[in-house]
Amino acid sequence: MSSLIILLNIISLIVPLLIAIAYFTLAERKIMASIQRRQGPNVVGYMGLLQPLADGLKLFVKETILPTNANIFLFVFAPIITFVLSLINWAVIPLGNGQVISDLHLGILYSLAISSLGVYGILISGWSSNSKYAFLGSLRSAAQMVSYEIPMGFVLLTVILCVGSGNFTEIVLAQKNVWLLFPLLPLSILFFICCLAETNRHPFDLPEAEAELVSGYNVEYSAMGFALFFLGEYGNMLFMSAFISTLFLGGWLPFMYLSFIPGSLWLGLKICIFVVFYIWARAILPRYRYDQLMDLGWKCFLPLSLSFLLFIAGILVSFDWLPN
C-alpha cells in the first residue's frame, strides 16, 4: 500500500510538471513576442492556448531519424538520461509544509549531484551522434556546466552555513522572519546568473549557438529524441526556479500576512517570477563569446562566491550567530 501511495505521489508531481513545461514554452513565445512587438502563437486554440499540445503531437508522430554512423544505443539513451534526471530532481523540493516526496537531510547535496549528472546526457549525445558540430557543442556544454557548478556550490555552502542544515524544509522554515534574499542579495543574483549558465540559457547558450554550431549537441536529433532534450531543458529551468525560490524566497511561505493562499500556490508564483526572468534574459541580452563566458565563471564568480562564503562565515563566528 505504501508503494502505491509513493507511486501516486510521483504521478501527481510529474503530470502537472509536464503540463507546466508545455505551457512554459507558450509563455516564452508570447512574452518574447510582446517584447518584440509581435503576436506570437495565436492560431491553434483560443489565443494559441493549444499550441504546446499541437507541437507535442507533431514531435510524437514524426519519424525518428538515426544517423548511419551513430552509436545507436547511446544515441537513443542520451535524451532519456537528460529527461529522467530533470524529473527526479523534484523529489526533494517541498511544495508545501510536509508536501515532499523525499525529505532528505542532505537535499541540497542530492540536487547538486543530480544536476552534475545532467552533463552526461549532453556529452553522450554529442559523442554518439558522430558529428563534429554535436561533439563541439557537447564539449562546450560540459566545460560550461562544470565551471558554473563550483560558484553555485559555494553559494549553497553559504546558505547551509546560515541555516545550519542542508534539508530544504528546514531551509524554508528558517526564513519565517526574513527571506534569505535580503541578507544574501548579491549571492542570490550570482546564483541566478549561474543557473542561466547551468541550464545553457541565453546569454550563455553557447553549446547551442546556431551561428557557429548549427544547433549544438542535439543537431542530429528529431522527433521524440529532440522532444526529450527539449522537455529536459525546460524542466531544468523550472527546477532551478524552484531551487532559487526555496533557498532565497522562503519556498511555500506566504508574503507578509497573505497566509490564506495555499503554500504550493505561493511557490508556483515565485517560480513564475524567475521564469519571466529567464525569458526576459533571452529576449534582451546579447550572447557572450565563449572565452568571456569561461572568464566570467572562473575569474569573477568563483572568487566572488568564495569571498562571500568567508565573509559570511566571519560575521557568523564574530557575533556568535552560528545556528545550533
Side-chain angles (χ1 to χ4, degrees):
M1 187 66 182
S2 61
S3 58
L4 179 62
I5 293 173
I6 293 172
L7 182 62
L8 290 175
N9 285 336
I10 293 171
I11 293 172
S12 66
L13 175 65
I14 289 177
V15 172
L17 177 60
L18 293 178
I19 295 171
I21 292 171
Y23 280 92
F24 180 5
T25 62
L26 179 65
E28 180 176 45
R29 295 170 71 179
K30 282 286 190 181
I31 293 172
M32 287 187 65
S34 177
I35 292 171
Q36 298 166 357
R37 299 177 69 89
R38 297 184 288 107
Q39 283 193 328
N42 62 347
V43 175
V44 185
Y46 176 68
M47 295 178 65
L49 288 176
L50 298 180
Q51 186 68 49
L53 304 180
D55 291 340
L57 180 62
K58 179 195 73 173
L59 290 170
F60 182 73
V61 300
K62 283 182 75 172
E63 178 187 1
T64 300
I65 299 172
L66 302 174
T68 306
N69 296 322
N71 185 315
I72 300 300
F73 174 74
L74 293 178
F75 185 82
V76 173
F77 191 52
I80 297 173
I81 294 176
T82 302
F83 177 64
V84 170
L85 289 175
S86 73
L87 293 182
I88 63 177
N89 238 336
W90 287 86
V92 294
I93 295 293
L95 305 178
N97 197 358
Q99 298 178 24
V100 57
I101 292 176
S102 180
D103 198 20
L104 295 179
H105 181 61
L106 293 174
I108 282 185
L109 189 61
Y110 170 87
S111 296
L112 201 58
I114 297 299
S115 298
S116 301
L117 287 173
V119 75
Y120 285 102
I122 292 171
L123 270 179
I124 291 171
S125 69
W127 182 84
S128 64
S129 298
N130 199 27
S131 163
K132 64 179 76 174
Y133 295 113
F135 188 55
L136 282 171
S138 65
L139 288 179
R140 277 187 172 191
S141 183
Q144 177 174 323
M145 293 174 79
V146 168
S147 300
Y148 281 84
E149 274 169 4
I150 300 172
M152 281 177 70
F154 283 129
V155 174
L156 295 177
L157 278 176
T158 308
V159 172
I160 292 172
L161 199 62
C162 293
V163 175
S165 173
N167 179 276
F168 279 113
T169 301
E170 292 182 20
I171 289 172
V172 171
L173 294 176
Q175 300 178 67
K176 274 187 175 179
N177 297 322
V178 58
W179 292 349
L180 287 177
L181 174 73
F182 300 110
L184 302 179
L185 180 62
L187 283 182
S188 61
I189 296 171
L190 188 149
F191 191 80
F192 177 69
I193 298 172
C194 287
C195 287
L196 289 174
E198 180 75 8
T199 52
N200 295 328
R201 284 289 293 187
H202 214 87
F204 307 120
D205 59 339
L206 273 301
E208 301 172 17
E210 294 88 358
E212 306 158 34
L213 302 177
V214 189
S215 182
Y217 59 87
N218 58 12
V219 65
E220 300 291 346
Y221 283 88
S222 61
M224 283 310 295
F226 174 78
L228 289 177
F229 270 126
F230 195 75
L231 290 170
E233 180 182 334
Y234 278 79
N236 281 330
M237 280 189 274
L238 285 177
F239 169 75
M240 285 300 181
S241 299
F243 201 18
I244 304 173
S245 302
T246 304
L247 291 178
F248 297 106
L249 290 183
W252 73 80
L253 294 178
F255 179 71
M256 296 180 69
Y257 302 107
L258 301 176
S259 56
F260 57 89
I261 300 176
S264 54
L265 185 57
W266 269 116
L267 181 61
L269 290 172
K270 293 169 185 176
I271 290 172
C272 288
I273 292 171
F274 288 104
V275 163
V276 171
F277 283 157
Y278 267 107
I279 299 168
W280 171 78
R282 181 180 176 186
I284 70 168
L285 296 177
R287 180 181 287 138
Y288 272 62
R289 278 200 329 263
Y290 196 71
D291 60 311
Q292 293 174 331
L293 167 69
M294 300 305 283
D295 284 349
L296 186 68
W298 288 104
K299 297 180 181 178
C300 181
F301 285 177
L302 179 58
L304 271 176
S305 57
L306 182 57
S307 302
F308 266 105
L309 173 62
L310 297 175
F311 175 66
I312 297 296
I315 289 178
L316 294 175
V317 170
S318 300
F319 292 92
D320 197 21
W321 287 345
L322 281 171
N324 296 323

